[in-house]
Amino acid sequence: MAGPRQGKSEATSASLKEARILIVEARYYEDLADELLAGTVGALDDAGASHDCITVPGALEIPTALAIGLDAAAERKEPYDGAVALGCVIRGDTIHFEIVSEQSARGLMDVSIARKIPIGNAILTVDTEEQAWARARTSEGNKGGEAARAALTLIDIKRSLSKAKK
């Protein structure tokens, strides 16, 4: 069980030098996907983590591709330490937005909890393209970078707890 908080709020780069991250990106909105990926890769590079990237058409395909990628890496005996999901869902005139938003998030949580693997979620769910850009731009919201740092922080926690005295 985790002990009291010890004043460490983000992962230390020294502990993450050999972390392997799987990025799964939905390319439905190409330019937004490029910006999310740039933020993610920047944060991973800053931490010294390595990464591979799988591309899928849309947000609903991300959890399945993630599970497939994790299984393939495990079969090769090269497991990933964590993952980052990138995509964007912009509200339209139908309930499709709610379905895609909720089910992609649920799918990520299912994979994360069942496999005990940290996943940073940067599937943007917004009302407008303008909101998406404000969140995706590395100079503004940088949600790709935030998701990468969230996954790295969870990897650091997982590693430190597995080394804790029993």
Side-chain angles (χ1 to χ4, degrees), residues 72-154:
E75 287 174 19
R76 292 189 316 266
K77 306 235 185 294
E78 299 174 346
Y80 290 103
D81 297 297
V84 179
L86 306 176
C88 182
V89 185
I90 299 175
R91 186 178 301 278
D93 295 330
T94 69
I95 65 164
H96 187 69
F97 171 86
E98 283 82 7
I99 293 167
V100 174
S101 300
E102 292 172 13
Q103 294 306 311
S104 61
R106 183 200 54 79
L108 291 178
M109 289 303 292
D110 288 351
V111 172
S112 182
I113 292 169
R115 296 168 183 253
K116 296 174 186 70
I117 189 158
I119 299 173
N121 182 354
I123 300 175
L124 306 179
T125 53
V126 296
D127 290 324
T128 67
E129 188 172 342
E130 180 179 294
Q131 290 174 345
W133 277 108
R135 287 158 179 78
R137 276 191 200 97
T138 58
S139 62
E140 291 182 53
N142 195 12
K143 294 301 182 184
E146 279 186 22
R149 286 186 293 277
L152 292 169
T153 298
L154 288 170

